[in-house]
Amino acid sequence: MNASTRLLADLLERGVYLERFAAKELRALLPILEQAHEEVLGKIAATGGEWTQAWLAETAANIERIYNAAAEKLSGQLHLDLEPLATEEAAWTKSALETVTGGLMVSAPAASTLWAGIKALPAAGGSTLGMLCTALGVNATTDVTAAIQLAMTEGETLDQMVRRLRGRVVRRASWRTVDGRRTYIPGTYSGGVMTLTTPQAEALARTAAMHVGNQAREAVYAANADLVKGCQRVETLDTRTCLVCGVADGQVVKSGESRTMLPAHPNCRGVWVPVLKSWRELGIDADEVAPGTRASMDGQVSEYETWRDLLEKAGPARRVEILGPSRARLYAQGYPLDALVKDGRVVPLAELPKRGAA
């Protein structure tokens, strides 16, 4: 096993830790949203069901204020929890590099400047974590206000409007004492527009954890430019892997060349794995040493089965599941995968060849 492959294995294992961190972070974010939902419902209930356009204008302004405040709290909670994660992830990356290289000296960025640099960077799709929190608040405001307008148009009662917003209560949210600690237990609701914030918060928590993990590692790679000669993009391969990320899986970029910042979009799980120099590229006139205690420093990329490999081996039904029927048909006819993606987006079917697009 070469050093890059060993490091990839370590990074994938570390990804499990970050997923658990994201799940824990979600449990910290949901109470903030739940409090905002309850405040909105309280404003509506206080009217007694007298719906007027003046009431709607006032209520819409209140809803915007409530969710904007929630978005600020979400951002504050993320920053509070993610700063120590950045320091921890940088320390882990330094240790992992030292392990796979057999004890070479590895530098790490100063903790005092690491978080300041990370929080200012785009977390996904050009948006910072603060902007993603703001977007969640805007989405909640838009969805809830639109649902209220529809309820008014259809002449619904107060109970009907609340049900449209909150949905059917499967289990109410609650606080319980678990192992001596007060713990928030998320509620379960079905059908209401307010339930849309839960998957959005989940995507926010996962994106935030991946962003901090990726950028902390990038800072370590940058601090050890003499050891790293490039990076290889590696995606988590399952049914959630999008076409854009799948096509980019396995891409190798030399140090100094521009490359996509990860996560590329909310919920993106891709990572850049450093391609480490060989002993001779490091200026050490020696062949591989102590093979039993370290991975091979051969200067090669990591070895793994890429998304393209899996697609090539997949049967027709599986390809349809991954690409969709039209693109799967084009692929079977020899249409190149790279042509299905352009400028970081999936090319619309209308812009693809007509053959197989029916």
Side-chain angles (χ1 to χ4, degrees):
M1 178 184 294
N2 68 28
S4 295
T5 301
R6 168 71 182 278
L7 190 56
L8 170 58
D10 290 343
L11 285 170
L12 293 178
E13 184 176 342
R14 185 66 177 177
V16 176
Y17 171 81
L18 290 177
E19 284 283 350
R20 289 199 298 267
F21 181 94
K24 179 181 178 182
E25 191 63 18
L26 177 62
R27 292 193 292 272
L29 300 182
L30 288 179
I32 297 172
L33 290 170
E34 183 64 25
Q35 182 180 6
H37 295 328
E38 290 301 320
E39 189 175 350
V40 169
L41 293 173
K43 293 288 185 184
I44 295 171
T47 67
E50 298 176 3
W51 319 128
T52 65
Q53 289 301 315
W55 171 85
L56 176 61
E58 180 182 357
T59 300
N62 282 327
I63 290 172
E64 182 178 18
R65 175 187 57 78
I66 291 168
Y67 285 123
N68 282 348
E72 290 183 8
K73 291 180 181 178
L74 291 174
S75 181
Q77 184 68 52
L78 283 175
H79 286 190
L80 178 66
D81 297 337
L82 294 175
E83 183 172 0
L85 176 65
T87 303
E88 178 186 349
E89 197 65 17
W92 178 88
T93 305
K94 178 179 182 295
S95 176
L97 281 173
E98 289 174 342
T99 298
V100 300
T101 59
L104 288 179
M105 293 295 294
V106 175
S107 302
S112 59
T113 59
L114 179 63
W115 174 242
I118 291 177
K119 69 180 182 181
L121 291 171
S127 299
T128 63
L129 289 175
M131 293 166 65
L132 291 176
C133 291
T134 299
L136 197 160
V138 170
N139 290 341
T141 298
T142 301
D143 293 339
V144 170
T145 302
I148 291 173
Q149 289 176 317
L150 182 58
M152 289 176 59
T153 300
E154 297 188 358
E156 293 183 352
T157 65
L158 173 61
D159 287 344
Q160 290 172 324
M161 180 181 287
V162 169
R163 191 157 52 247
R164 178 186 291 275
L165 295 172
R166 177 81 285 187
R168 182 175 64 85
V169 179
V170 178
R171 185 190 70 239
R172 291 193 179 279
S174 62
W175 289 87
R176 299 177 189 172
T177 300
V178 180
D179 296 330
R181 298 179 61 183
R182 195 162 180 260
T183 303
Y184 176 75
I185 309 299
T188 304
Y189 306 92
S190 174
V193 298
M194 287 178 173
T195 61
L196 298 176
T197 59
T198 298
Q200 292 174 23
E202 184 178 3
L204 175 62
R206 179 179 291 112
T207 301
M210 290 298 295
H211 168 63
V212 171
N214 281 335
Q215 294 308 321
R217 291 192 294 271
E218 290 281 352
V220 176
Y221 303 156
N224 296 276
D226 58 335
L227 181 62
V228 178
K229 67 176 182 180
C231 283
Q232 181 182 25
R233 183 166 170 175
V234 177
E235 296 292 329
T236 300
L237 304 182
D238 56 26
T239 55
R240 287 194 288 150
T241 307
C242 73
L243 178 58
V244 173
C245 290
V247 170
D249 183 39
Q251 176 189 14
V252 178
V253 180
K254 295 180 180 179
S255 293
E257 294 181 346
S258 62
R259 51 189 170 91
T260 302
M261 184 177 291
L262 300 178
H265 55 78
N267 275 327
C268 177
R269 295 163 296 159
V271 297
W272 285 107
V273 180
V275 182
L276 303 177
K277 295 179 180 179
S278 67
W279 286 120
R280 298 195 183 280
E281 287 174 318
L282 288 170
I284 301 174
D285 188 16
D287 294 322
E288 295 297 332
V289 295
T293 60
R294 51 178 303 287
S296 169
M297 290 285 286
D298 59 9
Q300 299 300 307
V301 299
S302 59
E303 302 159 350
Y304 74 103
E305 192 168 46
T306 67
W307 184 84
R308 293 170 188 263
D309 296 330
L310 293 176
L311 188 64
E312 185 176 349
K313 295 192 303 184
R318 178 62 172 162
R319 288 177 181 172
V320 169
E321 183 181 354
I322 296 172
L323 298 175
S326 298
R327 292 182 178 85
R329 206 154 32 236
L330 285 169
Y331 176 77
Q333 295 171 357
Y335 195 74
L337 281 173
D338 291 320
L340 298 177
V341 174
K342 182 180 180 181
D343 298 329
R345 67 179 182 92
V346 177
V347 177
L349 289 175
E351 298 178 19
L352 295 174
K354 296 301 181 183
R355 54 184 183 130

